[in-house]
Amino acid sequence: MSSTNRFLSKKYIDGIYIPSGLLVVGCLLVKKEWLPYAVLLAAALGGFKMFRVQAVLKPTVFQDFELQEKTIISHNVAIYRFKLPSPTSVLGLPIGQHISIAATLPQPDGASKEIVRSYTPVSGDHQPGFFDLLIKSYPTGNISKYMASLIVGQTIKVRGPKGAMVYTPNMVRHFGMIAGGTGITPMLQIIRAVIRGRPTGDKTGIDLIFANVNKEDILLKEDLDELAKTDKGFRVHYVLNNPPEKWDGGVGFVTPEMIQKYLPKPASDVKLLLCGPPPMISAMKKASEGLGFQKARPVAKLEDQVFAF
């Protein structure tokens, strides 16, 4: 929708223009000398309603959002930018939470079925007008393959927020994070929020172990390296199954020894965050318990010391 058409939409006519007109006309009929004040008041209220930041997510209702831009990262990874209803709209997604995406997809038996998957945007509410999703497409994936097939102008169905994690500044002294593959997205959301909060007193320390198969699988490595370079409170440690020659990071699977070396020790003001493939999460829960962290629950709660997304 163009900006001209948007300002002539029913929402603006019913919610701004008609009430403003009634205020001015009413004042003109009742007390003309108040007319300048009525015009100023109508303009102020109209401007506030027109340009205020609006959160658009609904937890129980799927809404359509249009693909505005698609940035190819690699042969099977892309960042998808979706347009919000207005330049001042935000998703209204608390830091640490995620959204659900739904699509009706054909099944092997010829029937169609609605498939729902969860994703964490790599953008935030400090960036109004759009939201970005980093998605890796898998050959056997449902929603990820569907997303890869989208072209600019098509829409997806989204609802939210979802999730038990809600980050607040200085909620802990130190985060230890272990991410595998696309499990980096909720970690990046929190990392960026912490760093944005530095000027207003967020002192949270963060150490991240980011595990992948090959070096080219490391998503947003340049972004992570830049964040680590510019913020002394954040450190990233890479682990690869198949490292290249002269690799100076970790090798193989994430081990208890790596957790001991790179992440904070268990303490009441330390939280361990996990996100990645289910086998990896299961192994990391067992390893963390063996190192003295509280046993992780099957479904994580905000207060848990070990929180798996």
Side-chain angles (χ1 to χ4, degrees):
M1 183 186 291
S2 70
S3 59
T4 301
N5 290 337
R6 181 166 63 83
F7 291 131
L8 294 177
S9 68
K10 188 175 187 298
K11 178 178 71 173
Y12 288 117
I13 292 171
D14 292 345
I16 297 175
Y17 305 140
I18 291 177
S20 297
L22 290 174
L23 176 63
V24 172
V25 171
C27 194
L28 190 61
L29 294 174
V30 176
K31 205 155 189 174
K32 290 183 180 180
E33 58 268 30
W34 286 0
L35 185 60
Y37 304 105
V39 171
L40 287 173
L41 180 60
L45 293 175
F48 172 76
K49 291 185 73 173
M50 189 173 289
F51 296 107
R52 68 179 175 176
V53 173
Q54 296 176 309
V56 299
L57 273 180
K58 296 178 181 177
T60 59
V61 178
F62 279 106
Q63 301 177 82
D64 290 328
F65 295 97
E66 179 184 331
L67 181 62
Q68 179 179 335
E69 187 180 337
K70 184 175 177 179
T71 303
I72 304 299
I73 304 297
S74 70
H75 72 284
N76 62 352
V77 178
I79 294 177
Y80 302 82
R81 174 162 292 184
F82 291 91
K83 188 190 301 184
L84 294 175
S86 79
T88 56
S89 297
V90 297
L91 269 180
L93 185 71
I95 300 299
Q97 297 204 313
H98 52 269
I99 59 176
S100 292
I101 295 178
T104 302
L105 303 174
Q107 301 301 300
D109 61 3
S112 292
K113 182 180 178 182
E114 184 178 68
I115 306 295
V116 180
R117 293 289 183 270
S118 296
Y119 289 94
T120 303
V122 292
S123 56
D125 285 352
H126 62 293
Q127 300 165 294
F130 66 89
F131 66 95
D132 289 341
L133 296 174
L134 174 72
I135 297 180
K136 185 173 185 176
S137 178
Y138 296 93
T140 56
N142 284 301
I143 296 294
S144 68
K145 270 202 314 186
Y146 166 74
M147 294 291 289
S149 73
L150 288 179
I151 59 173
V152 171
Q154 291 184 308
T155 62
I156 60 167
K157 294 183 180 299
V158 174
R159 75 180 177 197
K162 289 183 61 183
M165 169 60 68
V166 178
Y167 173 74
T168 51
N170 297 307
M171 65 186 292
V172 292
R173 173 179 56 83
H174 204 145
F175 278 122
M177 298 179 172
I178 305 174
T182 54
I184 191 61
T185 55
M187 307 303 185
L188 186 60
Q189 184 194 43
I190 292 173
I191 292 164
R192 285 175 170 167
V194 169
I195 293 174
R196 283 199 307 274
R198 296 295 193 212
T200 53
D202 197 332
K203 298 177 181 178
T204 310
I206 304 174
D207 277 280
L208 164 69
I209 296 176
F210 189 15
N212 288 275
V213 177
N214 303 302
K215 187 176 180 181
E216 56 268 25
D217 296 324
I218 303 175
L219 300 173
L220 301 176
K221 186 176 187 300
E222 289 183 5
D223 294 51
L224 290 166
D225 289 343
E226 183 62 27
L227 290 171
K229 181 181 175 182
T230 57
D231 187 89
K232 64 181 182 180
F234 168 59
R235 291 157 295 277
V236 57
H237 316 277
Y238 298 106
V239 178
L240 294 178
N241 284 95
N242 302 321
E245 290 185 17
K246 299 181 181 178
W247 172 252
D248 59 359
V251 176
F253 294 113
V254 178
T255 64
E257 290 74 24
M258 291 178 189
I259 296 173
Q260 279 188 310
K261 181 178 180 180
Y262 297 125
L263 301 189
K265 302 295 183 286
S268 60
D269 55 359
V270 165
K271 194 181 285 286
L272 188 61
L273 305 181
L274 312 174
C275 192
M280 175 186 177
I281 297 305
S282 178
M284 293 302 95
K285 285 181 176 181
K286 289 178 183 176
S288 63
E289 187 181 356
L291 292 171
F293 286 91
Q294 294 171 7
K295 184 176 181 179
R297 284 189 265 201
V299 179
K301 304 287 186 183
L302 178 62
E303 63 270 19
D304 291 354
Q305 188 177 41
V306 178
F307 186 98
F309 288 93

